Amino acid sequence: MATDIDQKTDKGLMDAEIDRFLSENRFERDTSRSELGNIITSPLAKEIMGYEQMDYYIPIKAK
């Protein structure tokens, strides 16, 4: 799982870091399943913080 702050994260860089981590730990993305995303910020938290956060769930499998 990776977290993005209000769509300001460099998704290409985030994906590269995830792929590096997976490779170092003998995993890879499981492209047979869909990636998921979920905004985890409540309306009150967004008002206080001024931004939303989104979690990305990336299916993986052993290499």
Side-chain angles (χ1 to χ4, degrees):
M1 182 195 70
T3 301
D4 177 21
I5 296 176
D6 217 10
Q7 298 182 356
K8 292 184 174 95
T9 299
D10 181 334
K11 184 107 167 56
L13 180 60
M14 182 175 72
D15 285 342
E17 286 296 314
I18 291 168
D19 290 339
R20 181 188 59 77
F21 175 83
L22 293 175
S23 181
E24 288 174 357
N25 291 282
R26 299 183 2 223
F27 290 101
E28 63 186 2
R29 291 174 186 259
D30 182 353
T31 57
S32 70
R33 299 185 294 156
S34 299
E35 293 184 14
L36 301 171
N38 181 44
I39 295 176
I40 59 172
T41 311
S42 70
L44 179 58
K46 179 185 178 191
E47 184 179 324
I48 293 167
M49 296 187 311
Y51 61 88
E52 292 181 311
Q53 290 181 311
M54 180 170 182
D55 284 347
Y56 293 93
Y57 300 92
I58 300 128
I60 62 172
K61 62 184 178 182
K63 277 190 170 180

